Amino acid sequence: MASSTELAIHMSARPTWAEVNLAALQRNYQAVRELVSSEATICCVVKCDAYGHGSVECARALQEVGATWFGVTSTEEAVKLRRGGVRTRIMVMTGFWRGEEDEVLDSDLTPAIWSTEQLQALQRAAERRPKRPVPVHVKVDTGMSRLGLPMAELPGFLEQLRNAEDIVVEGVFSHLASSENLDAEDAQWQIMCFDDVLKTFAEHGMTPKFVHLANSAAVVGRHDTWHSMIRPGLLLYGGCLPLEGKAAAEQCIPSLTPVLSWKTRVIALKDLEVGQAVGYGGNYKTTRPTRIAIIPVGYGDGFSRHLSNKGRVILRDQYAPIVGNVSMDLVTIDVTDIPDASIGDEIILIGRTEHCRIDVEEHALHTQTIPYEILCGLSPRVPRKYVDE
Ligand SMILES: Cc1ncc(COP(=O)(O)O)c(C=O)c1O
């Protein structure tokens, strides 16, 4: 028979939270700053709620250490930053939706544009206001086949831009499809195409102040992609980049610290006999007398079900394996080899201790995805606590 220990702790809230270390974020920014020195302006990518870290808090912390530009995906994300007191430049990298042009101007945002429709909407919105130049960054598709102006349409679009009285081309940019391996043929091709884009601008007498191509992997991997602005995201959050080719050998950035750790606490302990099934589907059966700890986290929090019977957590500076299926709200771990494990003990789902570390990359590996998806998948149910360490 199984014996159980009752939940005997009194907590004011569900004890599952993410710690966001703003001092680590600032240090990571400074490391990138040192790397690129004054060669390039850094546009800190804080889209998707700063990759799950909290965009307003992160942008404010980065502002404190000198960040002057932020990149978001939508007008809505940009307006959230403005309402949160962010006063620096904000680039809306995925452009604005039809009807948002007034908000773009009123909130002093800098949109990416790539179509006549966007250009005309902005020009009309500018004409409804006291005269002032409206800066835009032209996004060109150099081979990713996603958003951006097709290369062949660039000369015609530049003519239209020249005729749009209030619109100023402050920037030109593109995005790399395979920045982890810049030696790969498609990355080389995009880099070459981007050079052609710049030539076309020059032929039209345009030399935008900000020329940008490099996301994190390109920043670390290849100096010649920096131009006058870089757009790092994952690097700032201390994510590890899966670089390949020459870039992997030559990467030139000091080690960065992960900004986010994810924690919870043991809420119950249970002793099981040999052969007992654990969790939904009963696909884990004990092979020895086993002590199980139950922790309040699950796929409802963004803790992937693919970690069932695969992942591990840290408890008292030791690893404990996940056993059984991850449920929506609960996970079961085997703590038989950690005899002191107690109700209320802190569990590290992602983070580091003196002898153990579970980085976002480990979850990505088990769940066959990329670290970005793990970070962005942390659900709003998990409160973010901000620390400065
Ligand atoms: C246009 C653009 N620039 C920069 C980034 C930042 O990428 P990373 O997090 O790899 O630095 C992204 C992220 O997807 C992006 O879409």
Side-chain angles (χ1 to χ4, degrees):
M1 278 295 288
S3 72
S4 71
T5 310
E6 292 299 312
L7 171 62
I9 36 175
H10 303 284
M11 285 170 287
S12 59
R14 186 170 177 254
T16 301
W17 71 101
E19 260 168 38
V20 178
N21 183 349
L22 295 175
L25 178 71
Q26 291 175 326
R27 285 194 296 273
N28 291 345
Y29 171 83
Q30 279 156 337
V32 177
R33 173 81 281 155
E34 264 166 44
L35 175 71
V36 298
S37 73
S38 56
E39 275 184 58
T41 297
I42 304 173
C43 176
C44 302
V45 176
V46 294
K47 64 179 183 164
C48 196
D49 209 21
Y51 295 31
H53 293 67
S55 62
V56 169
E57 292 80 0
C58 289
R60 280 181 170 167
L62 290 165
Q63 236 180 197
E64 270 173 34
V65 287
T68 52
W69 275 88
F70 293 105
V72 294
T73 203
S74 61
T75 307
E76 195 183 351
E77 287 187 353
V79 168
K80 185 176 169 196
L81 290 186
R82 285 285 182 249
R83 293 202 175 125
V86 175
R87 295 280 152 257
T88 54
R89 301 289 302 274
I90 303 176
M91 191 191 315
V92 184
M93 300 190 301
T94 314
F96 56 94
W97 305 124
R98 203 175 287 173
E100 286 181 340
E101 53 277 10
D102 287 299
E103 186 69 78
V104 167
L105 268 63
D106 292 342
S107 294
D108 205 8
L109 310 178
T110 306
I113 68 163
W114 58 86
S115 74
T116 307
E117 189 193 346
Q118 291 170 315
L119 178 58
Q120 289 174 344
L122 267 189
Q123 176 60 37
R124 280 196 300 269
E127 286 164 9
R128 291 193 288 271
R129 289 173 169 68
K131 204 163 177 57
R132 71 176 171 98
V134 176
V136 296
H137 288 218
V138 177
K139 182 167 193 167
V140 186
D141 179 8
T142 52
M144 197 170 178
S145 309
R146 244 179 27 176
L147 289 181
L149 190 73
M151 301 262 296
E153 294 174 22
L154 185 57
F157 193 59
L158 293 184
E159 285 306 324
Q160 291 177 31
L161 277 163
R162 214 204 294 273
N163 296 328
E165 210 182 308
D166 298 303
I167 310 298
V168 176
V169 182
E170 186 192 38
V172 51
F173 75 106
S174 192
H175 195 45
L176 293 164
S178 310
S179 54
E180 286 80 16
N181 186 357
L182 294 168
D183 310 330
E185 215 173 289
D186 59 337
Q188 291 290 341
W189 176 253
Q190 280 197 273
I191 291 170
M192 255 168 46
C193 287
F194 195 58
D195 286 341
D196 289 344
V197 167
L198 300 183
K199 275 186 211 134
T200 309
F201 268 78
E203 282 158 16
H204 284 74
M206 292 181 177
T207 47
K209 178 173 177 196
F210 295 114
V211 173
H212 44 115
L213 182 63
N215 64 343
S216 293
V219 169
V220 174
R222 277 265 290 277
H223 189 172
D224 64 356
T225 60
W226 294 355
H227 298 281
S228 53
M229 178 177 261
I230 56 168
R231 303 187 310 265
L234 194 67
L235 208 53
L236 298 174
Y237 308 109
C240 179
L241 297 158
L243 298 179
E244 292 169 38
K246 247 192 286 168
E250 287 172 18
Q251 61 167 303
C252 47
I253 190 127
S255 62
L256 302 170
T257 331
V259 170
L260 182 138
S261 38
W262 189 4
K263 298 180 177 175
T264 184
R265 290 189 187 280
V266 174
I267 56 165
L269 290 164
K270 190 159 280 185
D271 289 309
L272 305 181
E273 293 169 1
V274 177
Q276 283 197 257
V278 178
Y280 279 120
N283 65 4
Y284 180 83
K285 285 215 170 58
T286 54
T287 54
R288 59 174 179 170
T290 301
R291 175 162 268 213
I292 297 291
I294 295 114
I295 55 177
V297 67
Y299 59 79
D301 301 291
F303 194 88
S304 174
R305 197 165 177 278
H306 294 289
L307 294 165
S308 301
N309 290 313
K310 248 194 249 164
R312 56 186 182 170
V313 303
I314 304 170
L315 166 58
R316 294 184 177 238
D317 203 14
Q318 292 170 68
Y319 293 113
I322 292 169
V323 290
N325 280 337
V326 169
S327 318
M328 187 186 291
D329 311 309
L330 295 168
V331 165
T332 33
I333 56 173
D334 183 343
V335 296
T336 317
D337 299 326
I338 311 176
D340 296 340
S342 307
I343 288 178
D345 275 359
E346 185 174 281
I347 297 282
I348 297 179
L349 305 165
I350 290 179
R352 297 178 181 180
T353 59
E354 193 183 344
H355 299 105
C356 303
R357 62 190 270 182
I358 299 175
D359 292 336
V360 176
E361 290 72 23
E362 181 173 320
H363 279 215
L365 200 71
H366 281 314
T367 58
Q368 292 184 347
T369 185
I370 50 175
Y372 300 77
E373 191 178 348
I374 304 291
L375 288 171
C376 295
L378 208 72
S379 92
R381 182 164 87 168
V382 179
R384 275 51 165 184
K385 292 187 184 169
Y386 293 92
V387 297
D388 273 307
E389 279 166 8

